[in-house]
Amino acid sequence: MPGCQLCLSLVVSRDTTIKPMARLTSDQWNSIKTVWEYSPDEPTYSDSAQKACEKHGFMVPSRQSIAKKAKTDHWQRKASLAGINQATHRMADKMVDSDAPHRSEWQQYPPHLLNFNISESN
């Protein structure tokens, strides 16, 4: 049926081909590896690739291909203690900032009620 909507969509879908992603260069793989190895936040393979791709402008490879490359090339985490400490502080700051909407509620209580020590209450 030449006018059939289903036939037209099948013809269109046959004309479109999915092209395989181009292989990453060694520099692109190294940028992903560097993010994964040295980031104090210890990102996943996918997160590392996403960060590297945003910075250098290439397509994100699959998690499986990154894991295979990491295993083949023996990637190892190399974050410094100072970097881990900074990442921990960033995470704690995010948690504290999430309490910000409730701070306006705290203003209604007298300060002596907000400053208490649990060990003194026994």
Side-chain angles (χ1 to χ4, degrees), residues 31-47:
S31 65
I32 296 171
K33 178 182 176 183
T34 300
V35 171
W36 187 84
E37 286 186 337
Y38 289 98
S39 178
D41 297 323
E42 295 191 356
T44 63
Y45 291 134
S46 299
D47 292 339

Side-chain angles (χ1 to χ4, degrees), residues 4-16:
C4 175
Q5 186 68 22
L6 179 62
C7 295
L8 291 175
S9 65
L10 290 175
V11 171
V12 170
S13 64
R14 285 186 182 172
D15 290 340
T16 59

Side-chain angles (χ1 to χ4, degrees), residues 66-115:
I66 303 167
K68 183 179 176 182
K69 181 74 170 172
K71 186 176 181 180
T72 303
D73 293 353
H74 307 288
W75 292 6
Q76 293 182 354
R77 299 258 189 210
K78 298 176 182 167
S80 67
L81 187 56
I84 293 170
N85 190 17
Q86 290 172 354
T88 304
H89 282 280
R90 280 194 305 272
M91 290 170 57
D93 290 344
K94 286 180 187 176
M95 293 173 69
V96 170
D97 288 342
S98 68
D99 288 341
H102 302 290
R103 289 188 183 150
S104 62
E105 296 171 8
W106 298 345
Q107 300 302 319
Q108 67 183 343
Y109 298 106
H112 70 278
L113 293 178
L114 297 175
N115 297 325

